Amino acid sequence: ETGVTQSPTHLIKTRGQQVTLRCSSQSGHNTVSWYQQALGQGPQFIFQYYREEENGRGNFPPRFSGLQFPNYSSELNVNALELDDSALYLCASSDSGTIKIQYFGAGTRLSVL
Amino acid sequence: AQRVTQPEKLLSVFKGAPVELKCNYSYSGSPELFWYVQYSRQRLQLLLRHISRESIKGFTADLNKGETSFHLKKPFAQEEDSAMYYCALSGQGNDMRFGAGTRLTVKP
């Protein structure tokens, strides 16, 4: 069984740029959720994808967008990066039958300069 | 509004002592509550959920709807319990709201 993998592990961007983060879900999982974790805080829910459709969204602006592919892998795109976007971005996968039991990846550390 | 509060950022106990990590929530409906744990250099993982009513690694948590709490307890802490613990709530939707976390240190 393959766990959740995220790439890249670290990324440095400058303000105003765009970034794409990637996530491969755990084998057999069809649902992917993305979280932003700022330093010293708990993860904050960005959105969830199920069967390639957005299936719930947290309080994040539209410049945060996502995709899910037929193989259930997913991307998180952030446009017009701001300094406050610097954080650890976590991906979690789950099965639709037990959608709230989530398996997390190790995260991508994004630094915006 | 949906909110999870973990009042202690840091908690330190001696090995063998009881430990209680506090979690309070606010939610108008019937929430589902979870505890997640992150050990050093490992990824975030589910420890337990209230509907399972099970004990994992000696930890238990009871949902108290009257006090809107979901405290995590273990009668005898072990050094390997040292980790970051997050309480999380999920309501009717698919989002999961996490508290800010409590770092537990179990001293020998």
Side-chain angles (χ1 to χ4, degrees), chain B residues 82-96:
Chain B
S82 295
M84 195 75 185
Y85 291 81
Y86 294 95
C87 182
L89 176 154
S90 183
Q92 297 293 87
N94 294 320
D95 61 319
M96 186 87 70

Side-chain angles (χ1 to χ4, degrees), chain B residues 17-54:
Chain B
V19 63
E20 181 180 55
L21 291 90
K22 291 185 167 49
C23 173
N24 291 93
Y25 68 89
S26 63
Y27 184 71
S28 55
S30 292
E32 194 168 347
L33 276 295
F34 305 81
W35 276 99
Y36 278 82
V37 61
Q38 187 166 26
Y39 301 102
S40 179
R41 288 184 289 279
Q42 293 188 28
R43 57 190 63 189
L44 197 58
Q45 59 185 281
L46 178 67
L47 180 61
L48 54 81
R49 52 197 297 226
H50 89 271
I51 64 171
S52 299
R53 296 185 146 276
E54 55 193 345

Side-chain angles (χ1 to χ4, degrees), chain A residues 1-105:
Chain A
E1 189 176 88
T2 309
V4 178
T5 59
Q6 292 186 242
S7 63
T9 53
H10 295 88
L11 203 49
I12 299 175
K13 292 285 188 178
T14 55
R15 196 170 48 181
Q17 285 189 311
Q18 178 267 342
V19 69
T20 297
L21 310 183
R22 295 179 174 82
C23 172
S24 292
S25 57
Q26 182 165 309
S27 173
H29 287 178
N30 55 16
T31 304
V32 173
S33 301
W34 285 92
Y35 294 84
Q36 181 194 67
Q37 186 173 20
L39 208 57
Q41 300 297 317
Q44 275 197 72
F45 177 74
I46 302 175
F47 44 55
Q48 183 181 87
Y49 276 82
Y50 170 64
R51 289 188 173 182
E52 303 176 55
E53 299 277 337
E54 191 178 283
N55 190 39
R57 189 178 182 93
N59 190 26
F60 280 81
R63 61 189 183 84
F64 285 78
S65 63
L67 281 174
Q68 187 181 30
F69 301 99
N71 66 355
Y72 306 129
S73 66
S74 177
E75 286 182 355
L76 164 66
N77 298 290
V78 188
N79 293 323
L81 283 167
E82 301 177 359
L83 298 179
D84 284 350
D85 296 333
S86 295
L88 180 68
Y89 288 85
L90 296 169
C91 166
S93 74
S94 54
D95 179 82
S96 57
T98 52
I99 203 166
K100 297 185 181 184
I101 299 178
Q102 300 189 347
Y103 295 81
F104 282 81

Side-chain angles (χ1 to χ4, degrees), chain B residues 11 17 42 47 57 66 71 76 97:
Chain B
L11 184 62
Q42 293 188 28
L47 180 61
K57 299 185 178 184
H71 303 328
F76 307 104
R97 186 169 294 263

Side-chain angles (χ1 to χ4, degrees), chain A residues 40-42, chain B residues 4-13 18-25 35-36 59 69-74 83-87 98-105:
Chain A
Q41 300 297 317
Chain B
V4 177
T5 304
Q6 294 181 251
E8 302 139 328
K9 279 203 169 295
L10 302 171
L11 184 62
S12 182
V13 301
V19 63
E20 181 180 55
L21 291 90
K22 291 185 167 49
C23 173
N24 291 93
Y25 68 89
W35 276 99
Y36 278 82
F59 284 99
S69 68
F70 188 57
H71 303 328
L72 183 68
K73 300 177 185 179
K74 185 169 182 176
M84 195 75 185
Y85 291 81
Y86 294 95
C87 182
F98 285 79
T102 297
R103 182 170 296 283
L104 173 66
T105 302

